[in-house]
Amino acid sequence: MPVSEVILISMGLLTLAIIAAGLFRRVSMPYAVVLVVIGILLGELARVWPLLSPLQSFRLSPELVFFVFLPALIFESGLSLNARQLLKDLGPVLTLAVPALLLSTSIVGITVWWLLDIDLTIALLFGALISATDPVAVIALFKELGAPMRLNVLVEGESLFNDATAIVVFGILLSMANEGTSISLFSSAGAIVEFLRVFIGGSLVGIIIGLVFSELLYRLHSSKSAVLAMSLVIAYLSFILAEHVLHVSGVMATVTAALSLSIVGLPRISLDVKPLISETWEFISLVANSMLFLLVGLSIHAIELVDHVWVILAAVVIVLLARAVSVYSLVPITMRVFKLPTISIAERHIMWWGGLKGGLAIAIVLSIPESLPGRELLITLTLGIVLFTLMVNAWSIRSLMHFLQLDRLTEDEKSEVEQGLHQAKRVSQELVGRYQQWELLPQGLAQKLKDEIHHTFGEEEVTQNQQRKLRQVYLACLREESMTLDNLFKSGLVSQYILLDLRNNLQLDREQFHFTDVDHNPSLAKGVSIFQRLEKAVLKLIREKNWAVGLLARYQHLRLSQQIQRDIAGIILCHSVLGMLMSREDIETPYVLRLHEMYARRLIRRQQRLEDLQNDFPEKVDEITALLFSKATYTTAQLKTSDQLEHGEIGVKACLAINKRIASLLQQINHPLVFKRQDYKSLLSMVPMFGGLPETLLTLLAGHVSEVTFLSGDIIIGEGDKGDALYIVAQGRAKVIRNNKQDESEIIGYLNINDFFGEMALLGNHTRTATVIAETSMTLIRLTRHDVLKVAAQFDDFKQLLEQVRDERLQSLENR
């Protein structure tokens, strides 16, 4: 068929899909079902009406699905998924995507093998391809009805990952079927290894592509158009490179590439680009889904399916029962194993009934070689099951959600309704008042409109109780914090890492809100965040490694800078919320006072933390603070200039001239900070084994010293760790803890300025005998055994001195 005809028919089908969406908007039938029905009708008409006969050439093919539709649909789903909620529920999502799909594959395959008397490998092949879910219609309904976010993530996350599992398992079974390999323990072990290679390999390919392109877009200061174009490249490059070139999972590559771009790339580029990216990919997804479901309908020959209706219905029952076993057995077990909040029985009903089958199953079954026995039967069963789930499951999911009361408002949503009603009432009344003041509205009509406004927007307010009113106001405070935080990131005052950390804190505050008194602080109640746990893990990994001493110093300096950013941002957020509370006339005074007191206390705590850092590291804090605020000032000016250009307030030449000046200023301040080194010789001379050494030796030793900062609560060395470094306290205070019994510890002392510890490591005993924890922010100097011996090798007198004091120092240290 000529390209011109292909484009013409494609545009005609797309136009028909959009018209159908408008005509059937008020009908409860899901959009995907409407398209499938239209596709079936067009397909039947094409067989009897010559004018539509070219449509018979439009059928789903594996290549069309795998390399055109699938990358776009998967990438859009990955971008739109709530990454934080996905990480929280990764356990159940992966359980549904891997063990549950394998269980469903086994149940369906063995049952079909027993009922239809076909080869077991072929039956399992069918079980794998029909176990993949395609909940496009369900997700669209979730968005329409505002279904719980967690349910949305579970259903869509499962679909993304189990598509990958199904394709991989199908490929392995198809290879076995083509080679005539029977199912055995040995072949199963090989299949497991191959599955892990393809599944994990695809994930790694996607992560690498996502991170590389994210860094590239950030370094090049890419425009919105460039980001849009590269997102399209990432979607298709990750899938085709993984699937076609590296022979790993293309689905997993595209999913992880989308998540990497969403989490790491887009926030670093610009906060403004994410809505544009989301809208663009929603459009691409709409086009892909519209064409896909129309082609699904065109691929179904209804009359042929009627001839096999009883076999299809039996297969439908088997597939539904297999999914029920997976959902109702594995999901509760996963919740208990990972200690996650329970998924309600109502949500499990939706997860079971919402496991629709779609274009992926058809594409997979069509990829079966024609020489394989039973191919036509598998195609018929697949088409029948896909049609059933779309016509029955998808159509009835709305009624099921209503019956299970999953479409009811949550407490947060009730608060949002109340706030929205109040704002709508205020704006409407102000508008009527202005029109009346300008003598555009007669007195009678104005009063009638005011009464209608009060009747429409005012009745809900009486239903609010004190707790819900307080929650509503607190949620407004969190929204104010979130908007202010975004502005701080745009201005460059906080890094992307701090942005994600503080956003995580705000989300936890929202989830864990339980207001009892003004001293309650959700941020303190939730414990150590995942970001802080990550920092501690990295610190533990490198703190005693001599090869990483430079990395450790830079890493700890970065953490100091990040802590300053946290405290500055926290102070600004508190001031922003306090200002908002005082300006909101619609918030009742008692709630303003309670929240004002809570945020005032937070402000004092954060100011005190910043003051403590200032006292501990005056030079460093001053330099870092000056750099942050200088960068924020000039970046804000740059943003304002771009905004003026966009709104036509200044011309292009003026904008370029201003930005050139600002860029010059930013370049001047973007340089590594260099801090003055302390007098390490005087500190070294306080260590007994270095006492009396000549100035020359102390100077040489001081040249090998490294300075490291530690924040309050950091573990400097851990009991039982291996290390050969001596530490001298240059600033701050630490506590020394030793575990005397199992699960019991005792503070055996404190270390202050000029104290030292770890000197036994210089004498050959590398096992740490106690844990040293920074009680305040600290500066330490670090000297390793290797560096001491290096200096000693140059001076025989020093070498003899070390040998002389070795035995007596070891003995005295052991006694101490």
Side-chain angles (χ1 to χ4, degrees), residues 57-85:
S57 302
F58 271 68
R59 294 289 186 272
L60 275 185
S61 66
E63 293 78 13
L64 191 61
V65 173
F66 286 133
F67 298 115
V68 177
F69 294 133
L70 202 55
L73 295 174
I74 290 172
F75 192 80
E76 190 276 332
S77 294
L79 276 180
S80 62
L81 265 182
N82 185 304
R84 183 176 177 277
Q85 187 64 47

PDB file of all heavy atoms in Angstrom, residues 57-85:
ATOM      1  N   SER A  57      -6.043  -4.260   5.196  1.00  0.00           N
ATOM      2  CA  SER A  57      -4.574  -4.292   5.288  1.00  0.00           C
ATOM      3  C   SER A  57      -4.077  -3.721   6.616  1.00  0.00           C
ATOM      4  O   SER A  57      -2.895  -3.867   6.949  1.00  0.00           O
ATOM      5  CB  SER A  57      -3.969  -3.489   4.130  1.00  0.00           C
ATOM      6  OG  SER A  57      -4.388  -4.002   2.882  1.00  0.00           O
ATOM      7  N   PHE A  58      -4.964  -3.053   7.353  1.00  0.00           N
ATOM      8  CA  PHE A  58      -4.593  -2.467   8.641  1.00  0.00           C
ATOM      9  C   PHE A  58      -4.870  -3.493   9.735  1.00  0.00           C
ATOM     10  O   PHE A  58      -6.003  -3.689  10.166  1.00  0.00           O
ATOM     11  CB  PHE A  58      -5.391  -1.180   8.893  1.00  0.00           C
ATOM     12  CG  PHE A  58      -4.724   0.045   8.344  1.00  0.00           C
ATOM     13  CD1 PHE A  58      -4.609   0.230   6.977  1.00  0.00           C
ATOM     14  CD2 PHE A  58      -4.189   1.005   9.184  1.00  0.00           C
ATOM     15  CE1 PHE A  58      -3.989   1.342   6.453  1.00  0.00           C
ATOM     16  CE2 PHE A  58      -3.565   2.131   8.680  1.00  0.00           C
ATOM     17  CZ  PHE A  58      -3.449   2.304   7.302  1.00  0.00           C
ATOM     18  N   ARG A  59      -3.857  -4.174  10.145  1.00  0.00           N
ATOM     19  CA  ARG A  59      -3.956  -5.167  11.209  1.00  0.00           C
ATOM     20  C   ARG A  59      -2.788  -4.967  12.163  1.00  0.00           C
ATOM     21  O   ARG A  59      -1.733  -4.452  11.801  1.00  0.00           O
ATOM     22  CB  ARG A  59      -3.922  -6.593  10.649  1.00  0.00           C
ATOM     23  CG  ARG A  59      -5.120  -6.964   9.790  1.00  0.00           C
ATOM     24  CD  ARG A  59      -6.372  -7.123  10.661  1.00  0.00           C
ATOM     25  NE  ARG A  59      -7.497  -7.609   9.874  1.00  0.00           N
ATOM     26  CZ  ARG A  59      -8.338  -6.844   9.218  1.00  0.00           C
ATOM     27  NH1 ARG A  59      -8.145  -5.525   9.224  1.00  0.00           N
ATOM     28  NH2 ARG A  59      -9.352  -7.348   8.554  1.00  0.00           N
ATOM     29  N   LEU A  60      -2.982  -5.392  13.396  1.00  0.00           N
ATOM     30  CA  LEU A  60      -1.878  -5.346  14.340  1.00  0.00           C
ATOM     31  C   LEU A  60      -0.801  -6.324  13.921  1.00  0.00           C
ATOM     32  O   LEU A  60      -1.093  -7.454  13.523  1.00  0.00           O
ATOM     33  CB  LEU A  60      -2.371  -5.725  15.752  1.00  0.00           C
ATOM     34  CG  LEU A  60      -2.975  -4.625  16.612  1.00  0.00           C
ATOM     35  CD1 LEU A  60      -3.290  -5.158  17.990  1.00  0.00           C
ATOM     36  CD2 LEU A  60      -2.049  -3.433  16.717  1.00  0.00           C
ATOM     37  N   SER A  61       0.438  -5.902  14.021  1.00  0.00           N
ATOM     38  CA  SER A  61       1.571  -6.792  13.794  1.00  0.00           C
ATOM     39  C   SER A  61       2.517  -6.659  14.975  1.00  0.00           C
ATOM     40  O   SER A  61       2.538  -5.622  15.649  1.00  0.00           O
ATOM     41  CB  SER A  61       2.294  -6.408  12.499  1.00  0.00           C
ATOM     42  OG  SER A  61       2.897  -5.130  12.638  1.00  0.00           O
ATOM     43  N   PRO A  62       3.300  -7.698  15.253  1.00  0.00           N
ATOM     44  CA  PRO A  62       4.232  -7.609  16.388  1.00  0.00           C
ATOM     45  C   PRO A  62       5.180  -6.420  16.275  1.00  0.00           C
ATOM     46  O   PRO A  62       5.447  -5.734  17.264  1.00  0.00           O
ATOM     47  CB  PRO A  62       4.991  -8.938  16.305  1.00  0.00           C
ATOM     48  CG  PRO A  62       4.053  -9.871  15.602  1.00  0.00           C
ATOM     49  CD  PRO A  62       3.298  -9.023  14.627  1.00  0.00           C
ATOM     50  N   GLU A  63       5.698  -6.162  15.059  1.00  0.00           N
ATOM     51  CA  GLU A  63       6.640  -5.050  14.880  1.00  0.00           C
ATOM     52  C   GLU A  63       5.974  -3.711  15.182  1.00  0.00           C
ATOM     53  O   GLU A  63       6.580  -2.823  15.793  1.00  0.00           O
ATOM     54  CB  GLU A  63       7.194  -5.038  13.448  1.00  0.00           C
ATOM     55  CG  GLU A  63       8.081  -6.220  13.100  1.00  0.00           C
ATOM     56  CD  GLU A  63       7.273  -7.473  12.803  1.00  0.00           C
ATOM     57  OE1 GLU A  63       6.030  -7.351  12.637  1.00  0.00           O
ATOM     58  OE2 GLU A  63       7.870  -8.568  12.753  1.00  0.00           O
ATOM     59  N   LEU A  64       4.725  -3.555  14.759  1.00  0.00           N
ATOM     60  CA  LEU A  64       4.009  -2.304  14.980  1.00  0.00           C
ATOM     61  C   LEU A  64       3.804  -2.052  16.468  1.00  0.00           C
ATOM     62  O   LEU A  64       3.990  -0.929  16.966  1.00  0.00           O
ATOM     63  CB  LEU A  64       2.651  -2.349  14.263  1.00  0.00           C
ATOM     64  CG  LEU A  64       1.868  -1.035  14.166  1.00  0.00           C
ATOM     65  CD1 LEU A  64       2.651   0.003  13.385  1.00  0.00           C
ATOM     66  CD2 LEU A  64       0.503  -1.283  13.531  1.00  0.00           C
ATOM     67  N   VAL A  65       3.427  -3.089  17.189  1.00  0.00           N
ATOM     68  CA  VAL A  65       3.193  -2.934  18.632  1.00  0.00           C
ATOM     69  C   VAL A  65       4.506  -2.720  19.370  1.00  0.00           C
ATOM     70  O   VAL A  65       4.649  -1.784  20.176  1.00  0.00           O
ATOM     71  CB  VAL A  65       2.452  -4.160  19.188  1.00  0.00           C
ATOM     72  CG1 VAL A  65       2.366  -4.085  20.720  1.00  0.00           C
ATOM     73  CG2 VAL A  65       1.053  -4.245  18.607  1.00  0.00           C
ATOM     74  N   PHE A  66       5.490  -3.590  19.104  1.00  0.00           N
ATOM     75  CA  PHE A  66       6.729  -3.560  19.884  1.00  0.00           C
ATOM     76  C   PHE A  66       7.577  -2.320  19.619  1.00  0.00           C
ATOM     77  O   PHE A  66       8.197  -1.793  20.546  1.00  0.00           O
ATOM     78  CB  PHE A  66       7.564  -4.811  19.601  1.00  0.00           C
ATOM     79  CG  PHE A  66       7.018  -6.050  20.235  1.00  0.00           C
ATOM     80  CD1 PHE A  66       6.895  -7.218  19.515  1.00  0.00           C
ATOM     81  CD2 PHE A  66       6.603  -6.060  21.559  1.00  0.00           C
ATOM     82  CE1 PHE A  66       6.384  -8.367  20.084  1.00  0.00           C
ATOM     83  CE2 PHE A  66       6.093  -7.192  22.144  1.00  0.00           C
ATOM     84  CZ  PHE A  66       5.980  -8.354  21.406  1.00  0.00           C
ATOM     85  N   PHE A  67       7.611  -1.838  18.408  1.00  0.00           N
ATOM     86  CA  PHE A  67       8.553  -0.771  18.080  1.00  0.00           C
ATOM     87  C   PHE A  67       7.896   0.570  17.769  1.00  0.00           C
ATOM     88  O   PHE A  67       8.606   1.542  17.502  1.00  0.00           O
ATOM     89  CB  PHE A  67       9.443  -1.210  16.913  1.00  0.00           C
ATOM     90  CG  PHE A  67      10.272  -2.414  17.240  1.00  0.00           C
ATOM     91  CD1 PHE A  67      10.070  -3.617  16.579  1.00  0.00           C
ATOM     92  CD2 PHE A  67      11.240  -2.356  18.222  1.00  0.00           C
ATOM     93  CE1 PHE A  67      10.825  -4.739  16.892  1.00  0.00           C
ATOM     94  CE2 PHE A  67      12.007  -3.465  18.536  1.00  0.00           C
ATOM     95  CZ  PHE A  67      11.793  -4.666  17.884  1.00  0.00           C
ATOM     96  N   VAL A  68       6.566   0.635  17.805  1.00  0.00           N
ATOM     97  CA  VAL A  68       5.882   1.915  17.589  1.00  0.00           C
ATOM     98  C   VAL A  68       5.023   2.274  18.802  1.00  0.00           C
ATOM     99  O   VAL A  68       5.222   3.317  19.435  1.00  0.00           O
ATOM    100  CB  VAL A  68       5.012   1.896  16.312  1.00  0.00           C
ATOM    101  CG1 VAL A  68       4.261   3.217  16.156  1.00  0.00           C
ATOM    102  CG2 VAL A  68       5.879   1.641  15.084  1.00  0.00           C
ATOM    103  N   PHE A  69       4.057   1.415  19.122  1.00  0.00           N
ATOM    104  CA  PHE A  69       3.107   1.732  20.185  1.00  0.00           C
ATOM    105  C   PHE A  69       3.681   1.522  21.589  1.00  0.00           C
ATOM    106  O   PHE A  69       3.538   2.373  22.469  1.00  0.00           O
ATOM    107  CB  PHE A  69       1.836   0.901  20.022  1.00  0.00           C
ATOM    108  CG  PHE A  69       1.036   1.224  18.801  1.00  0.00           C
ATOM    109  CD1 PHE A  69       0.566   0.226  17.972  1.00  0.00           C
ATOM    110  CD2 PHE A  69       0.761   2.536  18.456  1.00  0.00           C
ATOM    111  CE1 PHE A  69      -0.182   0.527  16.839  1.00  0.00           C
ATOM    112  CE2 PHE A  69       0.025   2.858  17.332  1.00  0.00           C
ATOM    113  CZ  PHE A  69      -0.439   1.839  16.518  1.00  0.00           C
ATOM    114  N   LEU A  70       4.305   0.363  21.797  1.00  0.00           N
ATOM    115  CA  LEU A  70       4.709  -0.012  23.154  1.00  0.00           C
ATOM    116  C   LEU A  70       5.702   0.959  23.791  1.00  0.00           C
ATOM    117  O   LEU A  70       5.524   1.364  24.944  1.00  0.00           O
ATOM    118  CB  LEU A  70       5.271  -1.443  23.141  1.00  0.00           C
ATOM    119  CG  LEU A  70       5.249  -2.194  24.484  1.00  0.00           C
ATOM    120  CD1 LEU A  70       3.850  -2.217  25.072  1.00  0.00           C
ATOM    121  CD2 LEU A  70       5.773  -3.613  24.302  1.00  0.00           C
ATOM    122  N   PRO A  71       6.788   1.382  23.092  1.00  0.00           N
ATOM    123  CA  PRO A  71       7.708   2.333  23.732  1.00  0.00           C
ATOM    124  C   PRO A  71       7.021   3.624  24.177  1.00  0.00           C
ATOM    125  O   PRO A  71       7.291   4.133  25.269  1.00  0.00           O
ATOM    126  CB  PRO A  71       8.749   2.605  22.634  1.00  0.00           C
ATOM    127  CG  PRO A  71       8.709   1.401  21.765  1.00  0.00           C
ATOM    128  CD  PRO A  71       7.279   0.969  21.760  1.00  0.00           C
ATOM    129  N   ALA A  72       6.125   4.150  23.342  1.00  0.00           N
ATOM    130  CA  ALA A  72       5.439   5.399  23.685  1.00  0.00           C
ATOM    131  C   ALA A  72       4.528   5.212  24.897  1.00  0.00           C
ATOM    132  O   ALA A  72       4.529   6.032  25.827  1.00  0.00           O
ATOM    133  CB  ALA A  72       4.630   5.897  22.491  1.00  0.00           C
ATOM    134  N   LEU A  73       3.746   4.131  24.908  1.00  0.00           N
ATOM    135  CA  LEU A  73       2.798   3.915  26.000  1.00  0.00           C
ATOM    136  C   LEU A  73       3.514   3.627  27.313  1.00  0.00           C
ATOM    137  O   LEU A  73       3.121   4.118  28.378  1.00  0.00           O
ATOM    138  CB  LEU A  73       1.861   2.760  25.649  1.00  0.00           C
ATOM    139  CG  LEU A  73       0.930   3.010  24.455  1.00  0.00           C
ATOM    140  CD1 LEU A  73       0.149   1.750  24.118  1.00  0.00           C
ATOM    141  CD2 LEU A  73      -0.021   4.156  24.755  1.00  0.00           C
ATOM    142  N   ILE A  74       4.579   2.844  27.251  1.00  0.00           N
ATOM    143  CA  ILE A  74       5.319   2.507  28.467  1.00  0.00           C
ATOM    144  C   ILE A  74       6.043   3.741  29.011  1.00  0.00           C
ATOM    145  O   ILE A  74       6.046   3.993  30.218  1.00  0.00           O
ATOM    146  CB  ILE A  74       6.324   1.371  28.181  1.00  0.00           C
ATOM    147  CG1 ILE A  74       5.565   0.069  27.941  1.00  0.00           C
ATOM    148  CG2 ILE A  74       7.298   1.202  29.330  1.00  0.00           C
ATOM    149  CD1 ILE A  74       6.440  -1.051  27.461  1.00  0.00           C
ATOM    150  N   PHE A  75       6.645   4.513  28.122  1.00  0.00           N
ATOM    151  CA  PHE A  75       7.382   5.699  28.559  1.00  0.00           C
ATOM    152  C   PHE A  75       6.439   6.706  29.210  1.00  0.00           C
ATOM    153  O   PHE A  75       6.760   7.289  30.260  1.00  0.00           O
ATOM    154  CB  PHE A  75       8.098   6.331  27.369  1.00  0.00           C
ATOM    155  CG  PHE A  75       9.101   7.377  27.747  1.00  0.00           C
ATOM    156  CD1 PHE A  75      10.365   7.024  28.183  1.00  0.00           C
ATOM    157  CD2 PHE A  75       8.790   8.732  27.678  1.00  0.00           C
ATOM    158  CE1 PHE A  75      11.296   7.990  28.535  1.00  0.00           C
ATOM    159  CE2 PHE A  75       9.712   9.706  28.030  1.00  0.00           C
ATOM    160  CZ  PHE A  75      10.966   9.325  28.462  1.00  0.00           C
ATOM    161  N   GLU A  76       5.273   6.910  28.622  1.00  0.00           N
ATOM    162  CA  GLU A  76       4.299   7.845  29.200  1.00  0.00           C
ATOM    163  C   GLU A  76       3.845   7.372  30.572  1.00  0.00           C
ATOM    164  O   GLU A  76       3.719   8.169  31.517  1.00  0.00           O
ATOM    165  CB  GLU A  76       3.102   7.989  28.254  1.00  0.00           C
ATOM    166  CG  GLU A  76       2.139   9.107  28.635  1.00  0.00           C
ATOM    167  CD  GLU A  76       1.120   8.717  29.681  1.00  0.00           C
ATOM    168  OE1 GLU A  76       0.786   7.525  29.747  1.00  0.00           O
ATOM    169  OE2 GLU A  76       0.648   9.610  30.437  1.00  0.00           O
ATOM    170  N   SER A  77       3.595   6.068  30.716  1.00  0.00           N
ATOM    171  CA  SER A  77       3.185   5.537  32.020  1.00  0.00           C
ATOM    172  C   SER A  77       4.288   5.699  33.047  1.00  0.00           C
ATOM    173  O   SER A  77       4.033   6.049  34.205  1.00  0.00           O
ATOM    174  CB  SER A  77       2.806   4.057  31.881  1.00  0.00           C
ATOM    175  OG  SER A  77       1.659   3.894  31.087  1.00  0.00           O
ATOM    176  N   GLY A  78       5.538   5.445  32.637  1.00  0.00           N
ATOM    177  CA  GLY A  78       6.659   5.602  33.560  1.00  0.00           C
ATOM    178  C   GLY A  78       6.842   7.035  34.014  1.00  0.00           C
ATOM    179  O   GLY A  78       7.153   7.300  35.176  1.00  0.00           O
ATOM    180  N   LEU A  79       6.651   7.986  33.082  1.00  0.00           N
ATOM    181  CA  LEU A  79       6.777   9.404  33.442  1.00  0.00           C
ATOM    182  C   LEU A  79       5.679   9.850  34.396  1.00  0.00           C
ATOM    183  O   LEU A  79       5.901  10.649  35.304  1.00  0.00           O
ATOM    184  CB  LEU A  79       6.727  10.276  32.187  1.00  0.00           C
ATOM    185  CG  LEU A  79       8.007  10.488  31.392  1.00  0.00           C
ATOM    186  CD1 LEU A  79       7.723  11.385  30.202  1.00  0.00           C
ATOM    187  CD2 LEU A  79       9.113  11.079  32.244  1.00  0.00           C
ATOM    188  N   SER A  80       4.458   9.351  34.184  1.00  0.00           N
ATOM    189  CA  SER A  80       3.316   9.832  34.963  1.00  0.00           C
ATOM    190  C   SER A  80       3.173   9.133  36.303  1.00  0.00           C
ATOM    191  O   SER A  80       2.457   9.618  37.173  1.00  0.00           O
ATOM    192  CB  SER A  80       2.017   9.637  34.163  1.00  0.00           C
ATOM    193  OG  SER A  80       1.792   8.257  33.897  1.00  0.00           O
ATOM    194  N   LEU A  81       3.853   7.997  36.477  1.00  0.00           N
ATOM    195  CA  LEU A  81       3.745   7.280  37.744  1.00  0.00           C
ATOM    196  C   LEU A  81       4.327   8.107  38.882  1.00  0.00           C
ATOM    197  O   LEU A  81       5.330   8.800  38.718  1.00  0.00           O
ATOM    198  CB  LEU A  81       4.491   5.951  37.672  1.00  0.00           C
ATOM    199  CG  LEU A  81       3.689   4.695  37.312  1.00  0.00           C
ATOM    200  CD1 LEU A  81       4.597   3.473  37.344  1.00  0.00           C
ATOM    201  CD2 LEU A  81       2.516   4.485  38.256  1.00  0.00           C
ATOM    202  N   ASN A  82       3.692   8.018  40.036  1.00  0.00           N
ATOM    203  CA  ASN A  82       4.234   8.653  41.236  1.00  0.00           C
ATOM    204  C   ASN A  82       5.415   7.809  41.717  1.00  0.00           C
ATOM    205  O   ASN A  82       5.232   6.737  42.294  1.00  0.00           O
ATOM    206  CB  ASN A  82       3.145   8.737  42.313  1.00  0.00           C
ATOM    207  CG  ASN A  82       3.602   9.503  43.535  1.00  0.00           C
ATOM    208  OD1 ASN A  82       4.606   9.173  44.154  1.00  0.00           O
ATOM    209  ND2 ASN A  82       2.865  10.526  43.901  1.00  0.00           N
ATOM    210  N   ALA A  83       6.632   8.292  41.431  1.00  0.00           N
ATOM    211  CA  ALA A  83       7.824   7.488  41.706  1.00  0.00           C
ATOM    212  C   ALA A  83       7.966   7.176  43.189  1.00  0.00           C
ATOM    213  O   ALA A  83       8.389   6.077  43.566  1.00  0.00           O
ATOM    214  CB  ALA A  83       9.069   8.217  41.196  1.00  0.00           C
ATOM    215  N   ARG A  84       7.616   8.125  44.035  1.00  0.00           N
ATOM    216  CA  ARG A  84       7.745   7.904  45.478  1.00  0.00           C
ATOM    217  C   ARG A  84       6.812   6.795  45.951  1.00  0.00           C
ATOM    218  O   ARG A  84       7.196   5.911  46.710  1.00  0.00           O
ATOM    219  CB  ARG A  84       7.431   9.204  46.223  1.00  0.00           C
ATOM    220  CG  ARG A  84       7.616   9.100  47.714  1.00  0.00           C
ATOM    221  CD  ARG A  84       7.376  10.450  48.386  1.00  0.00           C
ATOM    222  NE  ARG A  84       7.486  10.309  49.825  1.00  0.00           N
ATOM    223  CZ  ARG A  84       6.501   9.895  50.588  1.00  0.00           C
ATOM    224  NH1 ARG A  84       5.332   9.597  50.066  1.00  0.00           N
ATOM    225  NH2 ARG A  84       6.663   9.774  51.890  1.00  0.00           N
ATOM    226  N   GLN A  85       5.556   6.834  45.485  1.00  0.00           N
ATOM    227  CA  GLN A  85       4.605   5.789  45.865  1.00  0.00           C
ATOM    228  C   GLN A  85       5.011   4.446  45.261  1.00  0.00           C
ATOM    229  O   GLN A  85       4.838   3.397  45.891  1.00  0.00           O
ATOM    230  CB  GLN A  85       3.198   6.169  45.386  1.00  0.00           C
ATOM    231  CG  GLN A  85       2.092   5.238  45.854  1.00  0.00           C
ATOM    232  CD  GLN A  85       1.920   5.241  47.363  1.00  0.00           C
ATOM    233  OE1 GLN A  85       1.869   6.296  47.988  1.00  0.00           O
ATOM    234  NE2 GLN A  85       1.854   4.056  47.947  1.00  0.00           N
TER     235      GLN A  85
END
